[in-house]
Amino acid sequence: MEFHTSKWLEAHLERNAGLKTLPRNLILGDIFGDGDYRLILVDVDFGQDLKANLKVYRGTGLVANQPLPVLPSSLISFYNDLTEPYLPVVGVSCDTDFLIYKNNKPFYKFSVPSFPLTTTESNVWQRLPHVTDESDYKILLEKLQSVSFSTLSSRSQKLLSVPLNNIKEEIDKYSGEEPSIHPSITCSTTLRKNSEDDIAVSCAVIGTENGYIFILDPLTFTVLHKAVSANIKSSPFILQTSGLYDVEFRILVICRENHVCVIRNGWTEGKILFRTANAIIDAVHLSVDKSLVVATAGKNLSCYSKKGNKMWTVKTIHEITCLCLLSLKSSNTYLVGVGMRNGAIHLFQGRHIVDCISAPDTPSALLFGQMGQEEHVLIIITIAGALNFKILKRTANFNLESQETSGPVVENRPLPLPKRSKLFVEQVMREKQNACDIHQRFQQDLIKMRLTAARAMVHLKPDENAAGNEKELVKLSARVTGLGPTFTLILNVENMSNEKPLLGLSAILHCKTSLYKLSSYVIKKMETKVLEINEPIKGDNSDKNNLIRVFVIKKDGNQPVITASINMPDTDFLDIL
Amino acid sequence: MGIFQKLVSFLGINKKEVNILVVGLNNSGKSTIVNHFKDGENKTHEIVPTVGFHIEKFENKNLSFTAFDMSGHGRYRDLWEHYYEDCHGIIFVIDSTDTFRLIVVKDELDTLLQHPHIRNKKIPLLFFANKIDCPNALSSVKIAASLGLERIMDKPWHISCSNAITGHGLHEGVEWLTQEVRQIVATKKY
C-alpha cells in the first residue's frame, strides 16, 4: 500500500470559535493595503433577535468586529479604484442596501431602486389608512391575498401575517410613506471592469429577490446596467461572472427555482441555460473552460458546459453542504472543494476525486485563497462553529496525470497490430494444416523437459552436504575447547530419526598437516548405542588457524552422510606471548 | 583583534571562503539581515521582495562569507536545495510574529533536514527569531519548541532573537556561526 501523507498542514483549529457563517459570507482581502491578506466574515447570531457582526481576522486572531444593521446575504470584496495605496472595498448586502466599507470603515451605501406596486396593491394601500371597521379590513386583505404573494411589497407581506387586532398599529407605522417594492438583495458578486490583472477595478453585481440584476459603477456606485434574470419568476441566490464588463461578460444567475440563467453584454433579459431536477445547494464557475459545477440535493455533483449541457454527474458519499473553488495558479490547476456532512471535504478535478480532507465536523462555508503571506490556505467554518485553517504544502502534488488515465475513458485508439508479413501468413497456414502434429510434438517436448528437470533434481540431491542430512536425519555439531596451542575437538553426532538406528558410522577428519597435528585422523567405529559420541581430538597449532573438515560416512556408502567444516580459533596472541 | 591577527588577515593567510545559505519564508527578513552585514556604502535602504536569490559577501573574523540570500516566496523555495551541496552553514530566518505560518516553517525545515545533501552532513544551523521587537512576537524558546529543534542531534544549532532593522542580536548569532564553521572547516582539513 502506498504511504499516504497529507498534502495539508494543519495551521490552526479553533473548535469553540462560535462562528456561524453561511456560504458566500466570507472573503479574503488585502483590506488594509499592507500585503497581509485578512479574512473577513459575517458571523450570524441566531439568538432571540437575529444579529450579525462583520469580523476581520488577521492570521488566527480577531482584529475587528463591528455590528451590522441586519442579516446580510452575501459579502464581496473588490478594488473600486486604483489610487495608491491599493485598498479593496468590502461590499455587504444587507436587506435592500448594499453597504460598502473601505479601510474597515463605512464608505458608501447603495439602495436598490424601488419598483412600483401592482395597481390592486396600491389601491388597497390608498384605502387602508382611512378604514376603521374590521370587516372592511378583511375585504381589503382578501384583495391583497388575490395578488401573488411574491409580487407584493414587503409591507403587504408583513401585513398579511399580522393578527387582525394588531392591524391598525401595523398600518400606522407606514403612515405618510409612499408604498413601493424594495426588493432585498439576495446575492452579490464582482465583475472585472477592464483588466484581468490581480489588482484591477471591478464592478459589483447584485441580484435582488424579484430577479433583477444590477451592475454598479465602481466609482460612483450608480447602476451601469440593469437586467432581469429570466422571463419567468426567478429569485437568484448565487451569481457567478466571467469576462470583462468593458469587453464581453457573462453572468450566471443561479436561482432558487432550480434553474440557471445567463446574462450577456447588453441583454436586458436573461435566458434560462438549464434546469436541474433537484434543489441547487451551491455552484462554482470554472473560468478555465467556462463550465459550472453545481451541487444539488440528493448527493449529486454535476458539471454543465458553457452552453448548458450536462457533462457529467457524480454521486458523493454524503450530502453536500458547500462548494469552493481552489485555484492553484502556479500549476494552472483548478479544483472544486466539496464540503459534505460528516466533515468530509473532497477535492475534485473534473469528475475525479484527487484528495480527501477532513474537517472537525460538517463544514458550513469553505474558502480558499491567500491569507496573510501564505498563498494557499483553505478556510473551513463548520456548523458547530469551529474555525479551521489548512495550508496546502508547497510540495503537494495532486497526481493529475495518473488520475486522467484511471478514469473510465473509452479507448478509441486501435491496438498497435503489426503488419501481416509473408512469414506470418505462411506460419498460420502451417499451423492450420498440421494442428494435431504441432500439438503432439509440443506435448512431447514438454514431457521431455520435465523429465530432464526431474533427473537433474535427483542428481543434485545426494550432493547436499549441509550440517543436517534430511534423508538420514543426522545432525553433526562440533565444539572446540582449550586456549591452544593444544585444542580439544568434541564432535557430536545426533540421530534425529525416531525409528531408524544409525549403524556402522565412521568419521574422517581432514586438515592442513602443516598447521594442525591431530591425534587421530580416522575414527573407525562411531557407536550409536548411546546417542552421543564424544571423541576428543588433540590438535597442535603452530601457525595461523585454518579449517578442519569432518566427513561422517556409512560403511557401504560412497557418499558422506554428513560433513562439517570447523573454524579453529585464533591463536595469534600466543605468538606475542 | 590583535595586531598579529590583523596582519595575518591583511596578508590573506589563513583566510577561508565559506558559503552560507540564508533561507526562510518570504517576509521573514532575510534580505534585511544580509543587508545589515554589508559595508556602509553597499547598504540598500529599500528592501524589496527577493526574486530568485542574491549573492552577498562579507567578512567576519578571518572568514570570508558568501551569503546566498534565497527568496522565500513559495514558488522560489525549490531553488534552495540546489545550494545545499556546497554550503558550510545555514541561516534560517523565522518571522516570530507570524504564528499562523509557523507550521509552514516547520514543514520547510523538516524538508531541509531530510534532504540527502544535508541529512548526513554536519552543518551548523543558525536560527534567527526575527522581528522580536514586534508586540506579538513569540519568544525564541517558544519557536524552538514549536519547530522541534531539540530533535536536531547531529548538527550544531543555535537560535538567537534578532531585530534586523536595528541589528540587535545579529552579531551574536553570526559570531556563533563563525566559530562553528571554523571548527568544521578545521576538522575537515586535518
Side-chain angles (χ1 to χ4, degrees):
Chain A
M1 208 184 88
E2 194 188 332
F3 180 65
H4 180 79
T5 48
S6 176
K7 296 177 180 70
W8 299 84
L9 297 169
E10 190 69 42
H12 181 68
L13 171 62
E14 200 177 334
R15 277 186 192 274
N16 45 10
L19 292 176
K20 296 269 180 286
T21 302
L22 301 168
R24 294 170 292 282
N25 270 330
L26 70 166
I27 48 164
L28 286 162
D30 180 18
I31 56 161
F32 294 106
D34 54 1
D36 195 352
Y37 282 66
R38 313 293 210 278
L39 169 69
I40 306 112
L41 57 86
V42 173
D43 181 21
V44 187
D45 180 7
F46 291 105
Q48 282 266 290
D49 42 341
L50 287 170
K51 277 185 292 184
N53 286 306
L54 190 67
K55 291 186 170 176
V56 180
Y57 279 83
R58 179 177 193 234
T60 55
L62 183 68
V63 289
N65 185 6
Q66 50 183 313
L68 289 169
V70 284
L71 213 67
S73 62
S74 75
L75 194 61
I76 53 168
S77 160
F78 58 98
Y79 288 94
N80 76 319
D81 58 12
L82 288 183
T83 48
E84 296 250 14
Y86 300 131
L87 275 183
V89 294
V90 175
V92 191
S93 311
C94 284
D95 198 11
T96 62
D97 299 326
F98 182 64
L99 309 175
I100 294 145
Y101 288 81
K102 194 164 194 169
N103 213 350
N104 212 29
K105 290 180 191 78
F107 178 66
Y108 197 83
K109 184 173 105 172
F110 168 81
S111 294
V112 175
S114 60
F115 290 85
L117 297 182
T118 55
T119 41
T120 340
E121 200 187 347
S122 57
N123 283 341
V124 169
W125 277 97
Q126 268 167 15
R127 285 180 57 198
L128 268 177
H130 311 296
V131 289
T132 46
D133 195 28
E134 213 166 87
S135 57
D136 286 343
Y137 278 130
K138 269 189 179 166
I139 296 159
L140 286 171
L141 288 181
E142 267 166 23
K143 258 191 174 177
L144 268 186
Q145 269 164 351
S146 67
V147 185
S148 161
F149 189 77
S150 57
T151 54
L152 287 175
S153 66
S154 58
R155 74 160 80 167
S156 306
Q157 287 173 351
K158 200 166 181 193
L159 199 68
L160 287 174
S161 63
V162 167
L164 216 58
N165 46 356
N166 290 348
I167 214 153
K168 181 89 180 109
E169 294 170 34
E170 189 65 33
I171 292 162
D172 286 347
K173 269 195 211 170
Y174 302 107
S175 63
E177 275 179 54
E178 195 59 37
S180 61
I181 297 176
H182 273 286
S184 40
I185 303 169
T186 53
C187 50
S188 61
T189 189
T190 58
L191 172 63
R192 289 169 174 278
K193 191 151 193 314
N194 47 25
S195 166
E196 292 276 6
D197 291 346
D198 283 343
I199 296 178
V201 174
S202 299
C203 307
V205 181
I206 55 177
T208 60
E209 187 66 51
N210 58 355
Y212 276 87
I213 308 293
F214 297 92
I215 302 175
L216 306 184
D217 188 276
L219 275 173
T220 57
F221 298 110
T222 51
V223 177
L224 278 179
H225 188 77
K226 177 182 158 187
V228 65
S229 41
N231 52 5
I232 57 160
K233 185 191 171 291
S234 47
S235 22
F237 78 113
I238 305 172
L239 293 175
Q240 299 276 313
T241 61
S242 64
L244 301 173
Y245 177 78
D246 287 352
V247 188
E248 191 183 11
F249 68 86
R250 231 170 133 246
I251 302 174
L252 291 171
V253 188
I254 294 103
C255 304
R256 265 183 238 124
E257 289 78 13
N258 297 344
H259 58 247
V260 174
C261 312
V262 63
I263 295 171
R264 290 173 175 279
N265 314 30
W267 291 10
T268 50
E269 189 181 288
K271 277 184 188 159
I272 292 181
L273 200 62
F274 62 88
R275 288 170 190 277
T276 60
N278 295 334
I280 300 175
I281 297 163
D282 208 341
V284 161
H285 182 250
L286 294 170
S287 52
V288 197
D289 52 358
K290 294 195 170 140
S291 60
L292 188 74
V293 177
V294 182
T296 54
K299 307 178 190 176
N300 286 315
L301 187 72
S302 321
C303 181
Y304 291 87
S305 72
K306 190 184 170 186
K307 290 190 172 155
N309 301 319
K310 193 191 264 190
M311 300 207 283
W312 50 262
T313 302
V314 284
K315 280 264 175 193
T316 53
I317 52 165
H318 301 296
E319 208 56 70
I320 301 171
T321 55
C322 51
L323 297 181
C324 83
L325 177 69
L326 289 89
S327 56
L328 308 168
K329 285 191 185 113
S330 53
S331 58
N332 203 21
T333 308
Y334 296 89
L335 307 176
V336 177
V338 181
M340 289 174 283
R341 293 218 174 269
N342 290 5
I345 298 167
H346 287 179
L347 303 187
F348 281 80
Q349 154 89 355
R351 65 167 83 180
H352 308 296
I353 299 177
V354 291
D355 198 16
C356 301
I357 319 169
S358 64
D361 59 292
T362 308
S364 69
L366 292 175
L367 184 65
F368 181 82
Q370 178 167 4
M371 170 137 188
Q373 297 282 340
E374 193 60 37
E375 274 190 322
H376 301 147
V377 184
L378 180 68
I379 298 146
I380 305 162
I381 294 172
T382 68
I383 283 174
L387 176 64
N388 190 192
F389 298 111
K390 289 180 196 287
I391 297 177
L392 184 67
K393 279 189 195 172
R394 179 173 60 87
T395 49
N397 177 16
F398 287 104
N399 295 322
L400 298 176
E401 289 79 20
S402 62
Q403 284 290 333
E404 289 291 321
T405 50
S406 68
V409 184
V410 181
E411 191 78 56
N412 289 324
R413 213 151 34 94
L415 287 168
L417 290 174
K419 261 192 176 175
R420 241 190 242 185
S421 66
K422 200 182 161 195
L423 192 74
F424 174 77
V425 175
E426 279 172 7
Q427 175 68 16
V428 169
M429 289 300 288
R430 243 199 321 275
E431 277 178 14
K432 270 184 187 164
Q433 280 165 10
N434 311 313
C436 257
D437 280 358
I438 288 171
H439 177 72
Q440 272 171 12
R441 200 159 298 160
F442 175 75
Q443 288 296 327
Q444 244 171 39
D445 285 351
L446 193 65
I447 291 163
K448 270 184 188 164
M449 195 188 74
R450 280 181 183 154
L451 183 67
T452 320
R455 271 189 189 145
M457 180 81 173
V458 169
H459 185 70
L460 275 173
K461 253 226 149 135
D463 288 352
E464 281 181 330
N465 46 6
N469 187 337
E470 271 180 53
K471 213 163 128 199
E472 299 282 346
L473 289 164
V474 180
K475 207 167 117 186
L476 173 67
S477 59
R479 196 148 48 98
V480 182
T481 56
L483 287 168
T486 311
F487 296 98
T488 305
L489 178 69
I490 301 162
L491 290 175
N492 194 348
V493 180
E494 220 177 301
N495 183 5
M496 306 292 285
S497 165
N498 293 331
E499 297 145 24
K500 251 163 100 186
L502 272 178
L503 295 166
L505 289 183
S506 49
I508 299 166
L509 290 109
H510 176 259
C511 67
K512 258 191 185 169
T513 46
S514 60
L515 299 182
Y516 296 106
K517 225 161 92 190
L518 304 181
S519 57
S520 66
Y521 291 89
V522 181
I523 307 159
K524 277 198 174 151
K525 23 175 187 158
M526 283 178 110
E527 286 299 333
T528 54
K529 279 168 197 163
V530 191
L531 267 170
E532 285 187 16
I533 302 167
N534 295 340
E535 196 66 71
I537 301 159
K538 276 188 184 148
D540 189 5
N541 184 307
S542 53
D543 201 13
K544 279 194 173 171
N545 50 47
N546 214 318
L547 292 173
I548 294 182
R549 291 204 175 84
V550 184
F551 305 93
V552 177
I553 44 171
K554 251 184 176 172
K555 205 178 172 184
D556 48 352
N558 55 353
Q559 299 238 338
V561 176
I562 195 162
T563 64
S565 301
I566 301 147
N567 262 319
M568 293 305 283
D570 202 357
T571 51
D572 269 0
F573 64 95
L574 293 164
D575 298 342
I576 301 160
L577 284 168
Chain B
M1 204 185 264
I3 243 179
F4 177 71
Q5 254 186 317
K6 264 188 183 164
L7 190 70
V8 163
S9 69
F10 177 69
L11 293 173
I13 316 165
N14 201 14
K15 201 155 110 182
K16 294 199 178 79
E17 295 258 343
V18 289
N19 295 332
I20 300 292
L21 206 59
V22 186
V23 292
L25 302 191
N26 50 328
N27 198 38
S28 57
K30 298 174 293 301
S31 300
T32 317
I33 285 177
V34 173
N35 189 44
H36 190 83
F37 289 107
K38 283 196 259 182
D39 295 338
E41 62 254 42
N42 294 336
K43 271 188 186 161
T44 44
H45 297 288
E46 192 90 346
I47 308 277
V48 290
T50 310
V51 174
F53 66 95
H54 287 303
I55 296 175
E56 306 290 352
K57 290 190 178 187
F58 61 88
E59 278 182 31
N60 191 328
K61 291 204 174 165
N62 275 342
L63 276 181
S64 165
F65 286 97
T66 307
F68 289 82
D69 177 16
M70 307 302 295
S71 171
H73 202 282
R75 75 187 90 139
Y76 296 115
R77 279 180 220 156
D78 293 336
L79 289 178
W80 295 3
E81 60 184 41
H82 299 288
Y83 299 88
Y84 289 166
E85 197 169 356
D86 39 39
C87 76
H88 302 89
I90 292 175
I91 299 180
F92 202 107
V93 187
I94 303 146
D95 179 354
S96 359
T97 60
D98 200 352
T99 45
F100 177 60
R101 288 208 296 170
L102 216 52
I103 186 134
V104 185
V105 176
K106 187 176 184 326
D107 184 53
E108 292 294 348
L109 178 65
D110 290 344
T111 330
L112 183 145
L113 292 174
Q114 289 302 313
H115 195 273
H117 285 147
I118 301 277
R119 198 170 49 205
N120 302 318
K121 234 157 84 178
K122 200 184 167 197
I123 294 178
L125 289 163
L126 171 62
F127 296 91
F128 274 127
N130 202 19
K131 309 191 188 178
I132 204 72
D133 53 307
C134 288
N136 47 357
L138 290 177
S139 70
S140 60
V141 182
K142 270 188 184 163
I143 288 174
S146 50
L147 295 184
L149 296 186
E150 72 281 352
R151 290 177 297 126
I152 308 172
M153 310 291 255
D154 54 342
K155 292 174 187 61
W157 61 268
H158 180 80
I159 184 159
S160 90
C161 293
S162 68
N163 174 359
I165 295 169
T166 59
H168 163 80
L170 294 183
H171 280 283
E172 176 216 326
V174 171
E175 293 286 288
W176 176 86
L177 189 69
T178 313
Q179 215 172 2
E180 288 294 329
V181 169
R182 194 188 293 278
Q183 265 183 25
I184 284 165
V185 170
T187 48
K188 250 187 201 166
K189 199 143 191 184
Y190 307 111

